[in-house]
Amino acid sequence: MTVLEQPGSFRPSSPPPWQPRTDPAPLLPDAEPYRLLGTEAADELDPALLRRLYGQLVRGRRYNAQATALTRQGRLAVYPSSAGQEACQVAAALALEDRDWLFPSYRDTLAAVARGLDPVQALTLLRGDWHTGYDPRETRVAPLCTPLATQLPHAVGLAHAARLKGDEVVALAMVGDGGSSEGDFHEALNFAAVWRAPVVFLLQNNGFAISVPLSKQTAAPSFAHKAVGYGMPGRLVDGNDAPAVHRVLTEAVRRARTGGGPTLVEAITYRVEAHTNADDDKRYRSDAEVAAWRAHDPVALVERELTRRGLLDEDGIAAERQAAEELAADLRERMNREPLLDPMDLFTHVYAEQTSQLRAQAAQLRAELAAAEEAAAGAGAGTAAEHGVAGAGAGTAAEEGAR
Amino acid sequence: MTAAVGQQSATMAQALNRALRDAMAEDPAVHVLGEDVGALGGVFRITDGLAKEFGEDRCTDTPLAEAGILGSAVGMAMYGLRPVVEMQFDAFAYPALEQLVSHVAKMRNRTRGALPMPVTVRVPYGGGIGGVEHHSDSSEALYLATPGLQVVTPGTVADAYGLLRAAIASDDPVIFLEPKRLYWSKAAFSPEQPEPVPGIGTAVVRRPGSSATLITYGPSLPVCLEAAEAATAEGWDLEVIDLRSLMPLDEETVCASVRRTGRAVIVHEASGFGGPGGELAARIGERCFHYLQAPVLRVTGFDIPYPPPMLEKHHLPGVDRVLDAVARLQWESEWTEGSEGSGRGWPW
Ligand SMILES: Cc1ncc(C[n+]2csc(CCOP(=O)(O)OP(=O)(O)O)c2C)c(N)n1
Ligand SMILES: [Mg+2]
């Protein structure tokens, strides 16, 4: 203190030179969400890609409707529909190669199905059957993740491991607007950027986290802008424009695969149905708002584009819808079969080797099951005996058998 | 090189370091990650030299975020690696709890065995080192309340090496609790020929005895051994069991001992309420009731947030408190030769 106060003795020091670690300008998202449909660039879109997207969108829409119907029939415990978000789901699946990994949330079963996962396997969790109905290593689809954003660090770790092993594998991880507020979102993006991990983060901004709207979720200019803070590019895309989402994701996947590091893609979309079948969206949003988004429908957008370019006619539409009906019928039929779960499986995969405590508990359950079975058999025998006394039918049959 | 094997000695910290090094040398899938584990070698130097020897891709200084570290480790394990995560201190492992509980512990189960989690989470734990707030927690009860995890803690230098090797080799996740105050304890240890030790899930009798059983683990092991020595002056011959592994729990070794001695005291630093001692006492009660000469007693940390270092000596179970508990094991009621059969004697 006293030293500084001596007149003439104070020399302002200068800090060591500073410069930003990376130029933020190229990381910034564009001012407008990227769109293809309805722009001049749409004319150059590959017809085969458009047809592929269309087929998947039609089937995806039908899949969502069928799964929601299955909740009403008690065949699914719960279904978080991606109706209205099919473009994101389908584009995510098609942007990936076979060797790549998808990290879906509970809302993203369609993305997994569009990748080729059996819909029944994709839905085991939501029917109340075993949590993951498929082998993640075989399918390169990580388990559906419910604790929000916790799947994102997994995607980073997996992509990082793949890069260390020299495999050109990309991980695409899906998260919602609400999930972006979780700490794991921040940590995953930071790790991914520091490690230059080959990850693509697809944030489906569908307007709500259950009932909570964007205004209560973030004060950022956009979710895509958050990327800049981590040192990765943020991209904004119209999430209902399937070819646009596909292009942005494909570009991000290519960038990741060739060592360019991660990208955060914000797809602006809308959840046109309630959060799940258990939700009542009338409590927090207006019909008019929903109607406005229904008018910007991802399936109709591609259908219109294909018909406009003469790439699709009534027969073509009918054929796609027929294929979707077949998928729905197959799903319905197989979901209506009673799943067979073995209660003893409760103890099978807790550890590689059962602990003595688990062995004892398994023995207890086995004994309970055996007792229940015996009781049921006894009850059955009792009934038969009563019948034997009451009517001559059973006795006669037995006698017949004996002869 | 001619030095006789067994004459060398090492600290627990050095043995842990050696275990990491040997595991990494043996299996290229083993990756170490954490805060300051690279150039610094970890704040306790347990990862000393690993980054230099194996490269920063194998021993990685991560960004400072425990959930991110453990979450990344989950993804790495999904891709076939065998991550060893260092949490800098017990109380700083808490940000990673969600990843631990919801994913590390459950992944094998939720994928029907398709995605095992060979992840080792090393956590320096416990007090007695004069650490200021948030540096001395004993959180084992949190981990034990989470099915799917193994919880292991060494109390000797040989176990530090052997159990850490076993933890890394395990296909299931292991919470590897390192007693901070034993880091600098020294014992005979040959890095070239480490003494083979029993695997995870096996308790060891560290001191055979006949009067009563002290059941303990990790930082309280030396306390119990010292108490057992002191107890000989009172005419008590105490058996000391080192659990080594809290999950899986070796009930057989515990019960065999308690059935022999008829008396048991459980000793740990973690708070008693909801602590591992309660679980052990319940199991001993369920399985050894007719052999017990006295209620099972517990000597544990108080049910308080970890105290300031100037007061921690009052909190930590020490030799005197252990001996006091032993003295309360209702010795007066013991059946002795020549006494009248009162129905309170040995049950057989
Ligand atoms: C860690 C965590 N907290 C709370 C929940 C309960 N929850 C399930 S979905 C949801 C809203 C998520 O919103 P968003 O991330 O936008 O995804 P969306 O449902 O819109 O697809 C909440 C709060 C959860 N699953 N995980
Ligand atoms: Mg949302």
Side-chain angles (χ1 to χ4, degrees), chain A residues 97-168:
Chain A
E97 291 181 13
D98 206 38
R99 57 185 161 166
D100 297 332
W101 276 69
L102 178 75
F103 284 77
S105 82
Y106 52 87
R107 196 176 299 288
D108 306 313
T109 54
L110 175 56
V113 170
R115 258 205 115 183
L117 192 71
D118 176 17
V120 173
Q121 290 186 344
L123 289 168
T124 54
L125 169 86
L126 299 170
R127 72 151 44 154
D129 193 342
W130 275 104
H131 313 310
T132 306
Y134 49 90
D135 183 333
R137 284 214 173 107
E138 241 168 56
T139 56
R140 263 91 57 216
V141 177
L144 299 170
C145 190
T146 309
L148 295 169
T150 57
Q151 73 277 23
L152 305 182
H154 306 170
V156 175
L158 182 132
H160 178 62
R163 196 184 56 85
L164 290 180
K165 283 193 174 182
D167 300 342
E168 290 186 338

Side-chain angles (χ1 to χ4, degrees), chain A residues 85 106-107 175-179 203-210 212 214 217 271 275:
Chain A
Q85 301 175 222
Y106 52 87
R107 196 176 299 288
V175 67
D177 44 286
L203 189 157
Q204 293 172 87
N205 172 1
N206 64 2
F208 291 93
I210 308 186
V212 178
L214 291 180
Q217 204 64 250
R271 195 194 74 211
H275 172 66

Side-chain angles (χ1 to χ4, degrees), chain A residues 101 103 130-137 142-165 167 169 182 184 187-188 190-191 194-195 345-353 355-357 361, chain B residues 31 33 57-58 60-81 95 98-99 102-103 105 107-116 146-150 171-173 247-252 283:
Chain A
W101 276 69
F103 284 77
W130 275 104
H131 313 310
T132 306
Y134 49 90
D135 183 333
R137 284 214 173 107
L144 299 170
C145 190
T146 309
L148 295 169
T150 57
Q151 73 277 23
L152 305 182
H154 306 170
V156 175
L158 182 132
H160 178 62
R163 196 184 56 85
L164 290 180
K165 283 193 174 182
D167 300 342
V169 167
E182 293 280 2
D184 277 17
E187 298 189 20
N190 189 46
F191 272 62
V194 170
W195 285 351
D345 263 0
L346 288 174
F347 305 100
T348 311
H349 297 293
V350 184
Y351 296 98
E353 206 181 305
T355 61
S356 62
Q357 292 80 18
Q361 289 159 27
Chain B
H31 284 243
L33 55 162
D57 281 347
R58 296 281 307 281
T60 308
D61 276 334
T62 64
L64 211 167
E66 292 75 12
I69 297 170
L70 191 54
S72 301
V74 169
M76 292 165 78
M78 286 169 85
Y79 205 74
L81 297 186
E98 186 185 23
Q99 285 292 339
S102 295
H103 295 295
M107 193 65 86
R108 172 188 287 280
N109 193 250
R110 62 201 282 260
T111 60
R112 316 295 302 125
L115 290 182
T146 306
L149 299 178
Q150 301 174 94
D171 285 337
D172 283 319
M247 175 55 68
L249 180 67
D250 181 358
E251 289 180 41
E252 299 314 314
R283 283 175 188 271

